[in-house]
Amino acid sequence: MATTSTPARVDARRRGYWIYLLPGGVLFLAVIVIPFVMNVALSFTEWPGVGEISWIGLENYTELFADDAFWASFRNSVAMIVAMVVAPTLIGLLLASALFDVIGKRFGGKSASTLRALFYLPQIVPVAVAGIVWGWILRPENGALNTLLEAVGLGEFAQNWLGDPGTALPSVMAIMVWVQIGYPVVIFMAALQRVDPQLHEAAEIDGAGWFRRFRAITIPQIRPETFVVALTCTIAAMKVFGPIFVLTRGGPGDATNVPSYFAYQNFFERADVGYGAAIATVLTLIIIALSIVFIRFQAASERKERR
Amino acid sequence: MTTVTRTSQPAPTTDPPTTRRNRDRHHRGAARWIVLAALIAGAVVMLFPFGVIVLNAFKSPADYSAGGPLALPTEIFTSGMIDFWNRVNFGRKLWNSFMIAGSVAVLGVLVSLFNAYALGIGRVKGRLAIVVLFLMANMLPQEVLIYPLYYIAREVGLYDTQLAVIIIFTVIQSAFGTYLLSSVFGTFPKEILEASALDGASKWQTLWRIIFPISRPTLSVLMIFFFIWTWNEFFIPLVFLISNDNQTVPVALGVLQGQRMMDATTTSAAALLGIVPAIAFFLIFQRTLARGITAGAVK
């Protein structure tokens, strides 16, 4: 009896698992899928948030591509990618290998992990709070940085760091490097432990200096982690909101505005919901496109390696 | 030609490598101290903001205007911090953050567990497409959901309630949790599941008596992550929690900073109050976290 009904019973057993997807699925539909579809639909409308919704087709998008503020916000996104992806990855690689190769091996693992924890510290603080800390340090009058510059005789460089259009973006970028740096350091140090030490020993015997070993062994060996760091940090850089809200509110002018804050302004300050929805939709498309490019690139480089 | 070069090559290289390596080792003896000094200098730069905040959090306003932000306080002044705590009802904000982050951690893990049970163990049809959907949801910027969520919450009377924030983050965090747990469960030993089925255990019993205890370490890492991520969230709580009694710690501090209502010493006291819980969690969860960060990186 039991043997004849096996295929049907296997099928039934499989079907029985659907029920476990029900709570998560319903919530996912209500919180992600439906709002996402609604947002895309809203991007084709003109709506101040109350009253009549009027369908205007692609007008928001044509307006968007002619809007200087929109292009400024995406230029600043590129700056955020430099500050949150490029700089932390390069500096993190250098710091991690210095910590692993020199400190870990010559001064003991304890000193290496202590230094690593210190570099990681800004990562655990809520970004909004980190923004408050830095906004406070960069205050124009009596701020800690200006006071420090005066104390060491560089008083002429003291300025209104976040209020001046020329220094606001570089200041925010420097802050984001500070926020972000700990993440690649931790990931890369874990990655370095994976690298077979015999590779380094063999190269050393062959007379390869530290930099050549770093380039020829370390970097290719930890490529998977570098991809993960670059992808996750790029997505984070495209989404950055909290530090901008707390530090500059996108100002002065649009000097530090980013797409997420630009969308927020249109949703909740200018009551131009359709326009905000269009910005958010474009931002989403760019993030998805970047992710696909990254994943393709990673797959291609893995294939090349295997060959 | 080739033989000539081949024979002439070893001659100069047999001797120099040993001396070079010796010099290298000798050289490194000094170099390692330079590297150490550079790293310590880097760490000091990283810590400078925290140091300056601590230095000024316990200064009186008069002390600050007399000595500036870099001078040591002449006395430990705590009433600035106490005033701030009482004025914004900081205890309430801590409790709100704790309630929201704690509820999301528990509910998010529970939803992830159910989803992953169906996807990773149950291997339901179309599981790959579903996992990809959850992965995509992870990449979405919250801006693309915020206005419809805000609108829906107002329509159903959940605007400015902690419940709305808890529900939203339960879903957002469980999108990541589902993705991670499904791949973990995909490698779950089949023999154990078969043995459990032979013993007549139902799916519900198998989940709680077998899967849950075995995967508890992974679930606890996930729970800590959900807690800290939710605690640190800013954007959605900023939009949803407008009344003072509902705000979380980052929102309360961020809004106050935005209004530029606080003087210098109060701001540093407030910032310190925002930093302390984060450091406390870090110290409490350190070991589990370090394991989790690296586990997440290596796929």
Side-chain angles (χ1 to χ4, degrees):
Chain A
M1 273 286 274
T3 45
T4 51
S5 63
T6 323
R9 266 187 48 196
V10 166
D11 203 41
R13 205 186 286 162
R14 250 190 195 198
R15 208 177 302 138
Y17 283 101
W18 271 108
I19 193 102
Y20 289 92
L21 267 180
L22 209 61
V26 169
L27 282 168
F28 190 78
L29 209 63
V31 173
I32 311 273
V33 179
I34 292 171
F36 177 72
V37 172
M38 276 171 80
N39 184 84
V40 174
L42 280 173
S43 74
F44 300 112
T45 68
E46 165 121 50
W47 187 39
V50 284
E52 199 89 335
I53 301 181
S54 46
W55 185 266
I56 57 167
L58 288 171
E59 213 174 286
N60 283 324
Y61 290 94
T62 49
E63 197 185 325
L64 201 61
F65 291 122
D67 187 346
D68 286 342
F70 171 76
W71 291 108
S73 75
F74 274 99
R75 266 199 306 279
N76 292 337
S77 272
V78 175
M80 287 301 130
I81 288 177
V82 172
M84 293 176 69
V85 188
V86 181
T89 306
L90 294 178
I91 302 171
L93 206 53
L94 207 65
L95 285 175
S97 52
L99 282 172
F100 185 80
D101 282 339
V102 183
I103 307 300
K105 284 178 186 158
R106 319 264 152 177
F107 295 92
K110 195 124 198 172
S111 358
S113 61
T114 307
L115 279 166
R116 181 186 62 184
L118 295 181
F119 282 107
Y120 193 70
L121 201 56
Q123 275 277 301
I124 60 169
V125 174
V127 278
V129 175
I132 294 166
V133 169
W134 277 103
W136 186 86
I137 288 170
L138 298 179
R139 284 159 80 96
E141 71 282 342
N142 245 346
L145 182 62
N146 283 347
T147 311
L148 187 68
L149 286 173
E150 273 152 32
V152 297
L154 294 170
E156 71 220 73
F157 291 108
Q159 50 196 304
N160 187 357
W161 296 99
L162 294 170
D164 188 308
T167 52
L169 185 63
S171 302
V172 172
M173 286 172 74
I175 294 166
M176 293 322 291
V177 174
W178 177 84
V179 166
Q180 204 69 9
I181 198 88
Y183 174 64
V185 169
V186 167
I187 302 279
F188 289 151
M189 276 185 77
L192 289 171
Q193 274 158 12
R194 209 168 41 79
V195 178
D196 186 355
Q198 286 184 340
L199 282 175
H200 275 277
E201 281 160 22
E204 207 174 350
I205 288 165
D206 287 345
W210 178 83
F211 186 69
R212 279 198 57 193
R213 276 181 282 135
F214 179 71
R215 247 188 40 196
I217 299 170
T218 308
I219 291 181
Q221 286 281 318
I222 65 169
R223 192 173 287 159
E225 281 84 357
T226 316
F227 268 114
V228 172
V229 166
L231 178 60
T232 49
C233 291
T234 303
I235 294 177
M238 295 300 297
K239 291 180 182 177
V240 68
F241 174 86
I244 300 294
F245 179 91
V246 173
L247 285 167
T248 62
R249 300 254 171 159
D254 280 321
T256 57
N257 209 348
V258 289
S260 62
Y261 190 71
F262 190 40
Y264 172 86
Q265 283 178 317
N266 280 289
F267 282 139
F268 299 109
E269 287 169 8
R270 298 176 191 157
D272 197 349
V273 177
Y275 201 55
I279 299 164
T281 306
V282 172
L283 177 62
T284 307
L285 289 176
I286 292 176
I287 289 175
I288 291 175
L290 279 174
S291 310
I292 291 172
V293 169
F294 258 104
I295 291 164
R296 278 271 166 85
F297 192 58
Q298 176 177 22
S301 87
E302 268 174 15
R303 252 198 316 269
K304 214 170 83 192
E305 207 151 279
R306 230 175 282 138
R307 218 178 277 155
Chain B
M1 274 290 269
T2 42
T3 46
V4 175
T5 42
R6 205 182 281 161
T7 47
S8 67
Q9 223 172 19
T13 43
T14 38
D15 206 32
T18 45
T19 53
R20 182 136 66 102
R21 221 180 307 142
N22 281 343
R23 208 189 311 138
D24 203 31
R25 186 164 296 157
H26 186 73
H27 183 70
R28 221 187 288 131
R32 63 178 175 159
W33 291 103
I34 297 170
V35 172
L36 181 69
L39 284 170
I40 289 175
V44 168
V45 172
M46 295 298 284
L47 288 181
F48 171 75
F50 296 108
V52 150
I53 287 297
V54 172
L55 196 62
N56 289 279
F58 300 105
K59 249 182 218 175
S60 70
D63 204 354
Y64 178 84
S65 52
L70 298 179
L72 285 170
T74 49
E75 50 167 349
I76 298 296
F77 178 82
T78 51
S79 61
M81 188 177 283
I82 293 167
D83 279 350
F84 173 79
W85 181 294
N86 292 332
R87 184 155 56 93
V88 304
N89 198 355
F90 197 77
R92 177 77 198 228
K93 315 286 193 227
L94 275 176
W95 174 246
N96 292 342
S97 274
F98 194 78
M99 271 303 291
I100 292 174
S103 310
V104 169
V106 173
L107 293 173
V109 167
L110 198 67
V111 172
S112 308
L113 180 66
F114 283 159
N115 285 345
Y117 187 46
L119 295 167
I121 306 259
R123 310 203 143 258
V124 295
K125 276 199 192 112
R127 64 182 174 278
L128 190 67
I130 299 172
V131 169
V132 168
L133 198 67
F134 277 106
L135 188 62
M136 297 265 287
N138 256 309
M139 299 188 307
L140 287 185
Q142 294 171 353
E143 288 74 18
V144 85
L145 309 173
I146 193 72
Y147 205 89
L149 284 174
Y150 165 81
Y151 181 79
I152 295 168
R154 286 177 69 133
E155 290 296 299
V156 299
L158 283 176
Y159 181 58
D160 198 17
T161 65
Q162 296 180 15
L163 182 62
V165 177
I166 291 171
I167 293 172
I168 293 169
F169 281 119
T170 296
V171 178
I172 290 177
Q173 311 293 31
S174 69
F176 174 78
T178 301
Y179 165 69
L180 187 87
L181 272 185
S182 299
S183 62
V184 171
F185 284 178
T187 61
F188 201 87
K190 274 210 173 57
E191 300 77 32
I192 300 178
L193 296 170
E194 275 160 15
S196 162
L198 278 178
D199 288 346
S202 68
K203 292 190 184 71
W204 181 253
Q205 286 167 327
T206 308
L207 173 61
W208 290 109
R209 297 205 187 140
I210 308 218
I211 313 279
F212 178 72
I214 292 178
S215 56
R216 193 176 276 166
T218 315
L219 297 180
S220 55
V221 171
L222 214 50
M223 199 180 274
I224 292 168
F225 269 118
F226 289 176
F227 183 88
I228 291 180
W229 288 344
T230 310
W231 184 284
N232 291 350
E233 276 291 343
F234 185 68
F235 182 61
I236 287 178
L238 174 76
V239 171
F240 273 80
L241 304 174
I242 45 160
S243 62
N244 270 324
D245 278 349
N246 287 331
Q247 278 170 353
T248 62
V249 172
V251 171
L253 295 176
V255 169
L256 280 171
Q257 167 78 4
Q259 292 165 342
R260 317 258 168 220
M261 298 263 284
M262 295 187 288
D263 59 43
T265 50
T266 312
T267 307
S268 58
L272 186 61
L273 287 175
I275 292 168
V276 167
I279 291 182
F281 298 141
F282 179 66
L283 293 175
I284 295 167
F285 299 137
Q286 202 184 16
R287 276 167 174 276
T288 335
L289 266 180
R291 230 186 306 142
I293 294 166
T294 51
V298 186
K299 313 161 290 173

